Amino acid sequence: QVQVAESGGGFVQAGESLRLSCTASGMTFDDLTMGWFRQAPGKERELVSCVSRSGSNSLYGESVEGRFSISRDNAKSTLYLQMNSLVPEDTAMYYCAAVKNLGPWCYKSSYEYDYWGQGTQVTVSS
């Protein structure tokens, strides 16, 4: 069983930055495709970004492209999400997700991921 845990959320003003972190244990980290998803009240869960096991391939949701950056440090079993130029519409619970995948791609759909963290709240004030 893989345990996933996020950290780094908080309350910020519009235009500021935050970095989220996610650790995964219970499986070899570099066998895992990782993703960040978010869900705002009354809305469906959506992809923020995902990254392949090696870190060589990544995808971003349209609304965060150019502002957010995903990365991973396999030696530290840690996934990161650098969020810049935050806007109130980024306010949501952010979830880290993992799935064992030995291919060089990541998945856009939340249904592909087997392991989820509890989430970390990001609130952006105008």
Side-chain angles (χ1 to χ4, degrees):
Q1 186 75 6
V2 177
Q3 287 79 45
V4 178
E6 311 92 339
S7 62
F11 183 98
V12 296
Q13 299 292 323
E16 294 183 344
S17 299
L18 273 178
R19 188 174 81 157
L20 305 183
S21 299
C22 169
T23 59
S25 60
M27 190 176 291
T28 302
F29 187 75
D30 53 8
D31 284 348
L32 296 171
T33 288
M34 303 294 296
W36 288 103
F37 292 81
R38 69 185 183 186
Q39 188 167 19
K43 294 189 176 181
E44 293 187 357
R45 189 167 295 190
E46 64 173 357
L47 173 74
V48 177
S49 185
C50 65
V51 64
S52 62
R53 56 191 288 254
S54 70
S56 59
N57 293 306
S58 59
L59 294 172
Y60 292 90
E62 282 187 17
S63 61
V64 306
E65 184 94 51
R67 299 187 297 122
F68 290 12
S69 177
I70 194 169
S71 62
R72 62 190 293 162
D73 185 338
N74 286 351
K76 296 182 178 179
S77 300
T78 303
L79 176 74
Y80 303 100
L81 183 69
Q82 179 66 41
M83 305 186 293
N84 298 327
S85 303
L86 284 159
V87 297
E89 292 73 26
D90 294 319
T91 295
M93 186 70 78
Y94 283 69
Y95 297 92
C96 178
V99 60
K100 183 175 182 178
N101 172 33
L102 301 184
W105 58 84
C106 65
Y107 300 108
K108 295 175 66 175
S109 171
S110 62
Y111 294 104
E112 301 286 353
Y113 293 83
D114 293 327
Y115 309 105
W116 292 83
Q118 294 297 309
T120 185
Q121 178 69 37
V122 172
T123 303
V124 184
S125 172
S126 58

